[in-house]
Amino acid sequence: MLWIHGQITTLKTIQGLFLPSVVSLAVPLALMSLTSEANGSSQKSSSLLSSEQMAPRGQLVFAVGLGALVFVPVFKALTGLPPFMGMMLGLAILWILTDAIHYGDSGKQRLKVPQALSRIDTQGVLFFLGILMSVGRIKISGSYLVIFMFINMLIWCLESAGILRQLANYLDANIPNADLIASAIGVASAIIDNVPLVAATMGMYDLTSFPQDADFWQLVAFCAGTGGSMLIIGSAAGVAFMGMEKVDFFWYFRKVSGFALAGYAAGIITYLAAQNLPLSLPTSLAEIPFISGS
């Protein structure tokens, strides 16, 4: 959402957030690997992985799907078309690929895209659709979106009434440090889904308050994207995980939340440290040697 609305750009985001993102992943993994449960099941897990290697055709589908996701910002940069069209193009390529791979094999129908789409969280998709439409000021109708649109239109109404701006002024007055505000937004995303939370943040602050690719927007992108992992209800992926793996809230809170918090804090510290170190990373494609040809 921040990228689509111009708060952040692709290369600056990669440059600023790649290292903090790696740290936020590495720290929880390192801490969890030290626990007795992880050590006790490591041998079993390694034998399970060795006996269930991904088939070559599965590796191809995985690689194409990952490439389709990476291709979305490239598609937008090359064509100027909305990112969702790049996503639909990637989905179409995957659809054709899986149909071609499993053509005539009735036992592999579950591996095709139509069967995969039948297992997605439709309510979650409609929730994000409603938010993106309300942020884009597009009015839609349909009873199945009433609840979702109510939440999203509430955000829009708060922005139109100036309440979000007043909230921003209150935060500025009581929390003068923008880094703390962005960090607080990430903590809030553990309870509130990050999509409406970022939509509200965009209503509170605009590009006159913080210009494009400002540290605030970069930190909001990181915090809102990773803070939701501190509680399993903080993201649509967590809710889907609850349903698929039958994991309850308190199990996740006991086993994972502390490690996720450590990774979240380590990522923020890494980002702030990197901003204060005299590092010189490429800021444009022309400065990358293998692209510029120098």
Side-chain angles (χ1 to χ4, degrees):
M1 291 177 64
L2 293 171
W3 172 56
I4 291 173
H5 288 269
Q7 274 80 2
I8 58 177
T9 58
T10 304
L11 196 59
K12 278 285 188 179
T13 302
I14 296 174
Q15 176 188 345
L17 298 184
F18 179 79
L19 183 59
S21 299
V22 171
V23 171
S24 70
L25 171 65
V27 168
L29 288 179
L31 294 176
M32 293 179 74
S33 67
L34 299 177
T35 61
S36 57
E37 291 183 3
N39 292 329
S41 60
S42 59
Q43 185 175 0
K44 179 181 178 181
S45 299
S46 60
S47 61
L48 181 63
L49 290 174
S50 62
S51 63
E52 295 188 4
Q53 294 295 330
M54 187 181 295
R57 288 191 284 188
Q59 295 176 0
L60 175 62
V61 173
F62 177 77
V64 172
L66 185 61
L69 290 176
V70 176
F71 177 70
V72 172
V74 179
F75 175 86
K76 180 179 183 297
L78 292 178
T79 64
L81 296 173
F84 81 88
M85 296 187 69
M87 298 177 188
M88 292 296 100
L89 176 61
L91 179 63
I93 293 173
L94 272 178
W95 196 317
I96 295 172
L97 177 63
T98 56
D99 276 9
I101 289 176
H102 305 299
Y103 178 76
D105 191 346
S106 58
K108 297 292 182 67
Q109 295 299 312
R110 60 184 180 83
L111 299 179
K112 293 184 178 181
V113 168
Q115 290 297 320
L117 292 177
S118 68
R119 297 193 298 270
I120 65 174
D121 181 13
T122 306
Q123 291 184 344
V125 172
L126 294 177
F127 174 72
F128 294 125
L129 174 65
I131 291 176
L132 293 174
M133 284 185 168
S134 66
V135 171
R137 308 296 190 268
I138 302 175
K139 295 182 179 179
I140 60 175
S141 60
S143 58
Y144 55 87
L145 280 179
V146 170
I147 298 176
F148 308 111
M149 288 303 298
F150 173 78
I151 299 173
N152 305 320
M153 292 307 295
L154 177 61
I155 295 174
W156 179 72
C157 292
L158 291 175
E159 178 184 355
S160 300
I163 296 177
L164 292 181
R165 171 57 59 182
Q166 294 177 14
L167 178 59
N169 294 334
Y170 174 82
L171 291 175
D172 291 337
N174 293 273
I175 311 177
N177 191 317
D179 297 334
L180 291 178
I181 295 176
S183 301
I185 290 172
V187 174
S189 73
I191 302 174
I192 305 172
D193 190 88
N194 57 6
V195 175
L197 191 62
V198 170
T201 304
M202 291 166 58
M204 292 163 57
Y205 302 99
D206 52 25
L207 291 175
T208 59
S209 302
F210 298 99
Q212 187 181 64
D213 287 323
D215 290 347
F216 175 76
W217 294 122
Q218 297 285 344
L219 199 55
V220 166
F222 173 80
C223 292
T226 59
S229 299
M230 289 186 285
L231 294 178
I232 197 171
I233 62 172
S235 65
V239 175
F241 178 66
M242 291 178 68
M244 294 174 63
E245 301 298 330
K246 310 304 179 185
V247 173
D248 61 58
F249 174 86
F250 293 103
W251 181 93
Y252 187 94
F253 184 78
R254 294 193 312 270
K255 304 288 187 180
V256 181
S257 292
F259 299 119
L261 175 60
Y264 175 74
I268 294 175
I269 293 172
T270 302
Y271 176 80
L272 296 177
Q275 297 306 307
N276 292 296
L277 291 176
L279 298 177
S280 179
L281 297 176
T283 57
S284 66
L285 294 177
E287 296 180 23
I288 304 178
F290 64 84
I291 292 181
S292 62
S294 58

